[in-house]
Amino acid sequence: LAQPALLMVIFVASMISVTTALPTITERLATQSLGLYPSLAFTAIAFARDDNIMAVGATGDPLDAYTIGRVAALEGRAVGIHVNFAPDADLNNNPLNPIINTRSFGEDPQAVSRLVQAYVRGVREHGMLSTLKHFPGHGSSKDDSHLGFVDVTGLWSRKELEPFRNVIQAGL
């Protein structure tokens, strides 16, 4: 695995308590609002993070994508989560996009397709459902859809459909 992905896997697997491991506002809020034990709240947040997706995309190795999918499923199922709202099947085809960037496996439709398929297999083979985000493609946008409506008219291209089409055709 690429070093950032490996560190994330080791860190998550250790189930370190929020109170002793780099507490953040998000983790404290999750602990308070969800009523979870600190280690469970941290694990639920940590496994859901997808900032290692770009690192896996850089390796190009489907085994790395499978591994982070497997870890996400095992960690999520351990705290009662059954659906993973990942992976991001978007192409990272706009360098000015403020939200997709590190959440994407890359900009090449075929490479992204292979890695998304491996991630989904890792998740599903370990007891969790997964979804593909953000059909019909969000990589070309220039705004963050978490903050408001994003219009991709004039920016979007048909190649953004390829990872979604390929994963569906593979039966995943």
Side-chain angles (χ1 to χ4, degrees), residues 1 9 53 56 59-74 105 114-127 172:
L1 285 172
V9 170
I53 297 294
V56 170
T59 73
D61 188 344
L63 181 57
D64 291 344
Y66 180 91
T67 300
I68 62 172
R70 178 180 61 83
V71 169
L74 294 173
F105 284 111
R114 282 190 305 277
L115 296 171
V116 166
Q117 288 176 48
Y119 182 97
V120 170
R121 278 194 308 278
V123 168
R124 292 190 181 170
E125 289 176 6
H126 291 86
L172 297 172

Short mmCIF file of all heavy atoms in Angstrom, two decimals, residues 1 9 53 56 59-74 105 114-127 172:
data_model
loop_
_atom_site.label_atom_id
_atom_site.label_comp_id
_atom_site.label_asym_id
_atom_site.label_seq_id
_atom_site.Cartn_x
_atom_site.Cartn_y
_atom_site.Cartn_z
N LEU A 1 0.83 -1.19 0.00
CA LEU A 1 0.00 0.00 0.00
C LEU A 1 0.87 1.24 0.00
O LEU A 1 1.96 1.25 0.52
CB LEU A 1 -0.86 0.05 1.25
CG LEU A 1 -2.05 -0.88 1.33
CD1 LEU A 1 -2.65 -0.81 2.73
CD2 LEU A 1 -3.08 -0.52 0.33
N VAL A 9 -4.82 2.75 7.68
CA VAL A 9 -5.30 1.41 8.04
C VAL A 9 -4.80 1.03 9.43
O VAL A 9 -5.56 0.56 10.26
CB VAL A 9 -4.87 0.37 6.99
CG1 VAL A 9 -5.15 -1.03 7.48
CG2 VAL A 9 -5.57 0.64 5.67
N ILE A 53 -7.96 7.86 -0.78
CA ILE A 53 -8.36 7.35 -2.09
C ILE A 53 -7.38 7.81 -3.17
O ILE A 53 -6.97 7.03 -4.01
CB ILE A 53 -9.80 7.79 -2.42
CG1 ILE A 53 -10.79 7.22 -1.41
CG2 ILE A 53 -10.18 7.43 -3.84
CD1 ILE A 53 -10.94 5.72 -1.42
N VAL A 56 -4.25 5.76 -3.10
CA VAL A 56 -4.46 4.45 -3.73
C VAL A 56 -4.52 4.60 -5.24
O VAL A 56 -3.97 3.78 -5.97
CB VAL A 56 -5.74 3.77 -3.18
CG1 VAL A 56 -6.10 2.54 -3.99
CG2 VAL A 56 -5.53 3.41 -1.72
N THR A 59 -1.12 4.55 -6.66
CA THR A 59 -0.48 3.25 -6.78
C THR A 59 -1.01 2.50 -7.99
O THR A 59 -0.31 1.70 -8.59
CB THR A 59 -0.70 2.36 -5.53
OG1 THR A 59 -2.06 1.89 -5.51
CG2 THR A 59 -0.35 3.08 -4.25
N GLY A 60 -2.29 2.75 -8.33
CA GLY A 60 -2.90 2.05 -9.45
C GLY A 60 -3.18 0.58 -9.19
O GLY A 60 -3.58 -0.15 -10.08
N ASP A 61 -2.98 0.15 -7.96
CA ASP A 61 -3.10 -1.27 -7.62
C ASP A 61 -4.49 -1.59 -7.07
O ASP A 61 -4.85 -1.12 -5.99
CB ASP A 61 -2.04 -1.63 -6.59
CG ASP A 61 -1.95 -3.13 -6.33
OD1 ASP A 61 -2.88 -3.88 -6.71
OD2 ASP A 61 -0.95 -3.54 -5.72
N PRO A 62 -5.26 -2.42 -7.79
CA PRO A 62 -6.59 -2.79 -7.30
C PRO A 62 -6.56 -3.47 -5.93
O PRO A 62 -7.52 -3.35 -5.17
CB PRO A 62 -7.13 -3.74 -8.38
CG PRO A 62 -6.39 -3.34 -9.61
CD PRO A 62 -5.01 -2.95 -9.14
N LEU A 63 -5.47 -4.15 -5.58
CA LEU A 63 -5.38 -4.78 -4.26
C LEU A 63 -5.41 -3.72 -3.16
O LEU A 63 -6.01 -3.92 -2.11
CB LEU A 63 -4.13 -5.64 -4.14
CG LEU A 63 -3.97 -6.38 -2.80
CD1 LEU A 63 -5.17 -7.27 -2.50
CD2 LEU A 63 -2.68 -7.17 -2.79
N ASP A 64 -4.79 -2.57 -3.40
CA ASP A 64 -4.84 -1.49 -2.41
C ASP A 64 -6.27 -0.98 -2.25
O ASP A 64 -6.73 -0.74 -1.13
CB ASP A 64 -3.93 -0.33 -2.82
CG ASP A 64 -2.45 -0.68 -2.74
OD1 ASP A 64 -2.10 -1.68 -2.10
OD2 ASP A 64 -1.65 0.07 -3.32
N ALA A 65 -6.98 -0.82 -3.36
CA ALA A 65 -8.37 -0.35 -3.31
C ALA A 65 -9.24 -1.39 -2.60
O ALA A 65 -10.09 -1.03 -1.78
CB ALA A 65 -8.90 -0.08 -4.71
N TYR A 66 -9.03 -2.65 -2.90
CA TYR A 66 -9.77 -3.72 -2.23
C TYR A 66 -9.52 -3.67 -0.72
O TYR A 66 -10.43 -3.78 0.08
CB TYR A 66 -9.35 -5.09 -2.79
CG TYR A 66 -10.06 -6.25 -2.15
CD1 TYR A 66 -11.25 -6.74 -2.68
CD2 TYR A 66 -9.56 -6.85 -1.00
CE1 TYR A 66 -11.92 -7.80 -2.09
CE2 TYR A 66 -10.22 -7.91 -0.41
CZ TYR A 66 -11.39 -8.38 -0.95
OH TYR A 66 -12.05 -9.43 -0.35
N THR A 67 -8.27 -3.47 -0.35
CA THR A 67 -7.89 -3.47 1.07
C THR A 67 -8.57 -2.35 1.84
O THR A 67 -9.09 -2.58 2.94
CB THR A 67 -6.36 -3.36 1.21
OG1 THR A 67 -5.77 -4.50 0.56
CG2 THR A 67 -5.94 -3.33 2.67
N ILE A 68 -8.60 -1.13 1.28
CA ILE A 68 -9.26 -0.06 2.03
C ILE A 68 -10.77 -0.26 2.06
O ILE A 68 -11.43 0.11 3.02
CB ILE A 68 -8.87 1.35 1.54
CG1 ILE A 68 -9.26 1.58 0.10
CG2 ILE A 68 -7.39 1.61 1.79
CD1 ILE A 68 -9.07 3.01 -0.35
N GLY A 69 -11.33 -0.89 1.03
CA GLY A 69 -12.75 -1.25 1.07
C GLY A 69 -13.02 -2.29 2.14
O GLY A 69 -13.99 -2.20 2.89
N ARG A 70 -12.15 -3.28 2.23
CA ARG A 70 -12.28 -4.33 3.25
C ARG A 70 -12.20 -3.73 4.65
O ARG A 70 -13.02 -4.03 5.52
CB ARG A 70 -11.18 -5.38 3.08
CG ARG A 70 -11.20 -6.47 4.13
CD ARG A 70 -10.08 -7.49 3.90
NE ARG A 70 -8.76 -6.90 3.98
CZ ARG A 70 -8.10 -6.66 5.12
NH1 ARG A 70 -8.64 -6.97 6.28
NH2 ARG A 70 -6.90 -6.12 5.10
N VAL A 71 -11.23 -2.87 4.87
CA VAL A 71 -11.07 -2.25 6.19
C VAL A 71 -12.29 -1.39 6.52
O VAL A 71 -12.79 -1.43 7.65
CB VAL A 71 -9.77 -1.42 6.25
CG1 VAL A 71 -9.72 -0.56 7.51
CG2 VAL A 71 -8.57 -2.34 6.19
N ALA A 72 -12.79 -0.64 5.55
CA ALA A 72 -13.98 0.18 5.78
C ALA A 72 -15.15 -0.70 6.21
O ALA A 72 -15.88 -0.37 7.15
CB ALA A 72 -14.35 0.97 4.53
N ALA A 73 -15.31 -1.84 5.55
CA ALA A 73 -16.41 -2.75 5.90
C ALA A 73 -16.23 -3.35 7.28
O ALA A 73 -17.16 -3.38 8.09
CB ALA A 73 -16.54 -3.85 4.86
N LEU A 74 -15.05 -3.84 7.57
CA LEU A 74 -14.81 -4.46 8.87
C LEU A 74 -14.98 -3.47 10.01
O LEU A 74 -15.60 -3.77 11.03
CB LEU A 74 -13.42 -5.09 8.90
CG LEU A 74 -13.21 -6.28 7.96
CD1 LEU A 74 -11.75 -6.70 7.95
CD2 LEU A 74 -14.12 -7.44 8.32
N PHE A 105 -10.20 8.40 -7.26
CA PHE A 105 -9.07 7.53 -7.59
C PHE A 105 -8.22 8.10 -8.73
O PHE A 105 -7.14 7.59 -8.98
CB PHE A 105 -9.56 6.13 -7.98
CG PHE A 105 -9.99 5.29 -6.80
CD1 PHE A 105 -11.32 4.96 -6.63
CD2 PHE A 105 -9.08 4.80 -5.90
CE1 PHE A 105 -11.74 4.17 -5.57
CE2 PHE A 105 -9.46 4.01 -4.82
CZ PHE A 105 -10.79 3.68 -4.66
N ARG A 114 -11.40 0.40 -12.60
CA ARG A 114 -10.77 -0.78 -11.98
C ARG A 114 -10.68 -0.63 -10.45
O ARG A 114 -10.97 -1.56 -9.70
CB ARG A 114 -9.36 -0.99 -12.54
CG ARG A 114 -9.32 -1.64 -13.89
CD ARG A 114 -7.91 -2.04 -14.29
NE ARG A 114 -6.94 -0.94 -14.24
CZ ARG A 114 -6.77 -0.03 -15.20
NH1 ARG A 114 -7.47 -0.11 -16.31
NH2 ARG A 114 -5.87 0.92 -15.06
N LEU A 115 -10.28 0.55 -10.00
CA LEU A 115 -10.10 0.75 -8.56
C LEU A 115 -11.43 0.82 -7.82
O LEU A 115 -11.55 0.30 -6.71
CB LEU A 115 -9.25 2.01 -8.32
CG LEU A 115 -7.82 1.90 -8.87
CD1 LEU A 115 -7.12 3.24 -8.80
CD2 LEU A 115 -7.03 0.82 -8.16
N VAL A 116 -12.42 1.44 -8.43
CA VAL A 116 -13.75 1.48 -7.82
C VAL A 116 -14.31 0.07 -7.69
O VAL A 116 -14.86 -0.31 -6.65
CB VAL A 116 -14.71 2.40 -8.60
CG1 VAL A 116 -16.15 2.20 -8.18
CG2 VAL A 116 -14.31 3.86 -8.43
N GLN A 117 -14.15 -0.74 -8.73
CA GLN A 117 -14.65 -2.11 -8.68
C GLN A 117 -13.97 -2.89 -7.55
O GLN A 117 -14.62 -3.64 -6.81
CB GLN A 117 -14.42 -2.81 -10.01
CG GLN A 117 -15.35 -2.32 -11.09
CD GLN A 117 -15.05 -2.95 -12.43
OE1 GLN A 117 -14.91 -4.16 -12.53
NE2 GLN A 117 -14.97 -2.13 -13.47
N ALA A 118 -12.66 -2.72 -7.40
CA ALA A 118 -11.93 -3.43 -6.35
C ALA A 118 -12.39 -2.97 -4.97
O ALA A 118 -12.59 -3.79 -4.07
CB ALA A 118 -10.43 -3.20 -6.51
N TYR A 119 -12.58 -1.67 -4.80
CA TYR A 119 -13.06 -1.13 -3.52
C TYR A 119 -14.43 -1.71 -3.18
O TYR A 119 -14.65 -2.17 -2.06
CB TYR A 119 -13.11 0.40 -3.59
CG TYR A 119 -13.56 1.06 -2.31
CD1 TYR A 119 -12.64 1.56 -1.41
CD2 TYR A 119 -14.91 1.18 -1.99
CE1 TYR A 119 -13.04 2.18 -0.23
CE2 TYR A 119 -15.32 1.79 -0.82
CZ TYR A 119 -14.39 2.28 0.06
OH TYR A 119 -14.80 2.88 1.22
N VAL A 120 -15.33 -1.69 -4.15
CA VAL A 120 -16.69 -2.21 -3.93
C VAL A 120 -16.64 -3.69 -3.56
O VAL A 120 -17.33 -4.14 -2.65
CB VAL A 120 -17.59 -1.96 -5.15
CG1 VAL A 120 -18.91 -2.71 -5.04
CG2 VAL A 120 -17.84 -0.46 -5.33
N ARG A 121 -15.81 -4.48 -4.23
CA ARG A 121 -15.67 -5.90 -3.88
C ARG A 121 -15.17 -6.05 -2.44
O ARG A 121 -15.66 -6.89 -1.69
CB ARG A 121 -14.74 -6.62 -4.85
CG ARG A 121 -15.42 -7.03 -6.14
CD ARG A 121 -14.61 -8.04 -6.95
NE ARG A 121 -13.23 -7.63 -7.18
CZ ARG A 121 -12.83 -6.79 -8.14
NH1 ARG A 121 -13.70 -6.28 -8.97
NH2 ARG A 121 -11.57 -6.47 -8.27
N GLY A 122 -14.19 -5.24 -2.06
CA GLY A 122 -13.68 -5.30 -0.69
C GLY A 122 -14.74 -5.01 0.34
O GLY A 122 -14.83 -5.67 1.37
N VAL A 123 -15.57 -4.03 0.05
CA VAL A 123 -16.66 -3.67 0.97
C VAL A 123 -17.70 -4.78 1.02
O VAL A 123 -18.06 -5.28 2.10
CB VAL A 123 -17.32 -2.33 0.54
CG1 VAL A 123 -18.61 -2.08 1.28
CG2 VAL A 123 -16.35 -1.17 0.74
N ARG A 124 -18.18 -5.19 -0.12
CA ARG A 124 -19.29 -6.15 -0.18
C ARG A 124 -18.90 -7.54 0.30
O ARG A 124 -19.69 -8.22 0.93
CB ARG A 124 -19.85 -6.20 -1.59
CG ARG A 124 -20.55 -4.89 -1.93
CD ARG A 124 -21.33 -4.98 -3.18
NE ARG A 124 -21.96 -3.70 -3.48
CZ ARG A 124 -22.55 -3.43 -4.62
NH1 ARG A 124 -22.62 -4.34 -5.57
NH2 ARG A 124 -23.08 -2.25 -4.81
N GLU A 125 -17.68 -7.96 -0.01
CA GLU A 125 -17.24 -9.29 0.43
C GLU A 125 -17.01 -9.36 1.93
O GLU A 125 -16.78 -10.44 2.47
CB GLU A 125 -15.98 -9.70 -0.33
CG GLU A 125 -16.26 -10.03 -1.79
CD GLU A 125 -15.00 -10.35 -2.60
OE1 GLU A 125 -13.89 -10.44 -2.01
OE2 GLU A 125 -15.14 -10.50 -3.83
N HIS A 126 -17.10 -8.22 2.59
CA HIS A 126 -16.93 -8.21 4.04
C HIS A 126 -18.18 -7.67 4.75
O HIS A 126 -18.11 -7.11 5.83
CB HIS A 126 -15.66 -7.44 4.41
CG HIS A 126 -14.45 -8.19 3.98
ND1 HIS A 126 -13.91 -8.09 2.72
CD2 HIS A 126 -13.72 -9.14 4.62
CE1 HIS A 126 -12.89 -8.91 2.61
NE2 HIS A 126 -12.76 -9.56 3.74
N GLY A 127 -19.33 -7.89 4.09
CA GLY A 127 -20.61 -7.71 4.75
C GLY A 127 -21.23 -6.34 4.78
O GLY A 127 -22.10 -6.08 5.60
N LEU A 172 -21.56 -5.04 -10.11
CA LEU A 172 -21.34 -4.61 -8.71
C LEU A 172 -22.30 -3.53 -8.31
O LEU A 172 -22.81 -2.78 -9.06
CB LEU A 172 -19.90 -4.11 -8.56
CG LEU A 172 -18.84 -5.19 -8.82
CD1 LEU A 172 -17.45 -4.58 -8.83
CD2 LEU A 172 -18.92 -6.26 -7.75
#
